[in-house]
Amino acid sequence: MKFDILTLFPEMFTVFESSIIKRAKDKNIVDIKVHDIRDFTTNKHRKVDDYPYGGGAGMVMQAQPIYDAIDHLKSIYGYKPYTIYLSPRGRVFKQEVAKELSTMNHILFLCGHYEGIDERVMDIVDDQMSIGDFVLTGGEIPTMVIIDSVSRLIDGVLSKNESYEDESFSDSLLEYPQYTRPEEFRGKRVPDVLLSGHHAKIDKWRREMSLKITYERRPDLLKSASLSKKDIEYIKAISKKSK
C-alpha cells in the first residue's frame, strides 16, 4: 500500500524509520513517501502562506504550492491518489474508518498548518479527517496516527493476522486484561481461569472482561457493539451491581 504525505515539516516523519512500520517498509508491504510543500512554491523565499482575506489572526497556507504538489504526484503516478486533508472539520477517525482505508491502494495525506489552507484546495480533496475534538499545531501527528492504525491492518504488517482481531475497538469493545509470567507478582496473581487450560472458559472470561471494562470506561461504545443475548444479560447484571 502506498502513502504519500504533503507537509511543511518532512523531518517529523522519521518516526516511521523504527518498529513495526519500518519492518513493513523493508518488506515492501507499505511505501511511505514524504514531500515538502515548500519545494513547490513559486516564491523565491519558499514562502507558502499569506494573510487571510477579510482579516483575522494568523496566516493561511496558499493554494498554489498545494495544487502544484498534487499535480506533480499526478504526473508521476498517472492518477491522483485518494486525498485526505487533516482538519477539525473532518469526520472523526475511528477503527471502522481504519478498516475502510486499509482496503485502498494509495492514499495522499495533506497536512495543514498555521490557520488552515485556502478553501479552494478543497476542490481536489476527497476526504477530511480529524482524530478528535482538540486542536493541534498541524496535520502531521494526525497523519502519523492514521498511517500507523491503517498499516497494522494490512496483511503481513503484523506477524499474525490474529494479532489485531481481539484488540480494543475491533468489535467496538475495549480489550480484556492481559497477563504474563510470573504467575504471582508482588502478591497479585494471574486469574485462575487463565491458568486452567480450558479454552471455552477463558474465552468466556475474556468476553465478560471486555464487556465490563467497556461498560465502566466507555459505555458509549456499547451502542455500536455486536452483542449477543448473553452479553446483554451480563451487562444488565453488572449494571445492577454498580447501583
Side-chain angles (χ1 to χ4, degrees):
M1 183 174 185
K2 293 180 181 293
F3 297 105
D4 280 89
I5 303 165
L6 293 178
T7 175
L8 297 178
F9 302 97
E11 65 275 10
M12 292 181 68
F13 292 92
T14 55
V15 66
F16 292 133
E17 295 306 316
S18 59
S19 191
I20 291 171
I21 304 301
K22 182 182 187 302
R23 292 202 302 269
K25 289 173 60 182
D26 291 344
K27 294 177 182 177
N28 295 317
I29 299 171
V30 299
D31 179 24
I32 303 174
K33 290 185 171 63
V34 184
H35 312 274
D36 190 339
I37 296 172
R38 295 183 192 279
D39 291 342
F40 300 93
T41 181
T42 56
N43 183 279
K44 65 180 181 180
H45 302 296
R46 290 171 60 82
K47 190 170 180 287
V48 295
D49 62 333
D50 210 332
Y51 295 103
Y53 280 117
M59 307 289 278
V60 174
M61 289 176 63
Q62 296 171 300
Q64 175 272 313
I66 298 171
Y67 264 85
D68 284 1
I70 293 177
D71 284 344
H72 173 72
L73 294 179
K74 284 169 63 177
S75 70
I76 293 174
Y77 297 121
Y79 61 89
K80 183 179 76 67
Y82 186 80
T83 304
I84 298 174
Y85 170 52
L86 288 307
S87 166
R89 299 192 309 196
R91 57 175 173 149
V92 178
F93 181 74
K94 296 182 178 181
Q95 188 66 15
E96 57 264 32
V97 180
K99 291 178 181 178
E100 171 194 329
L101 297 180
S102 71
T103 65
M104 297 181 176
N105 295 319
H106 196 169
I107 300 174
L108 168 62
F109 292 94
L110 171 58
C111 302
H113 226 76
Y114 309 121
E115 293 303 312
I117 63 177
D118 190 305
E119 187 67 21
R120 289 166 289 192
V121 173
M122 297 307 160
D123 291 342
I124 53 173
V125 166
D126 299 300
D127 205 346
Q128 295 185 55
M129 215 157 279
S130 166
I131 63 168
D133 296 334
F134 46 85
V135 180
L136 297 172
T137 55
E140 285 76 17
I141 290 175
T143 294
M144 295 175 200
V145 168
I146 294 174
I147 290 178
D148 185 275
S149 180
V150 171
S151 294
R152 61 199 314 281
L153 297 177
I154 300 169
D155 286 345
V157 172
L158 299 182
S159 57
K160 295 180 181 179
N161 288 337
E162 308 88 62
S163 295
Y164 62 79
E165 289 177 355
D166 292 329
E167 291 179 337
S168 292
F169 307 112
S170 62
D171 188 30
S172 295
L173 296 176
L174 299 181
E175 190 179 14
Y176 49 80
Q178 298 274 22
Y179 298 86
T180 188
R181 292 179 178 81
E183 289 182 19
E184 183 172 338
F185 177 72
R186 296 192 177 186
K188 298 179 180 181
R189 283 186 52 78
V190 175
D192 291 338
V193 65
L194 298 180
L195 306 174
S196 68
H198 195 301
H199 296 297
K201 288 183 178 180
I202 292 172
D203 289 343
K204 180 175 181 291
W205 180 87
R206 285 176 168 171
R207 181 67 177 183
E208 289 179 349
M209 289 300 99
S210 284
L211 291 166
K212 183 174 185 292
I213 291 170
T214 304
Y215 173 79
E216 292 173 346
R217 302 179 186 178
R218 289 290 306 277
D220 57 297
L221 294 175
L222 294 173
K223 295 177 182 178
S224 58
S226 178
L227 302 176
S228 67
K229 184 178 179 181
K230 288 185 178 180
D231 291 338
I232 295 170
E233 290 174 352
Y234 181 76
I235 292 169
K236 287 180 178 178
I238 58 177
S239 176
K240 288 179 181 178
K241 288 181 181 179
S242 64
K243 291 179 180 178

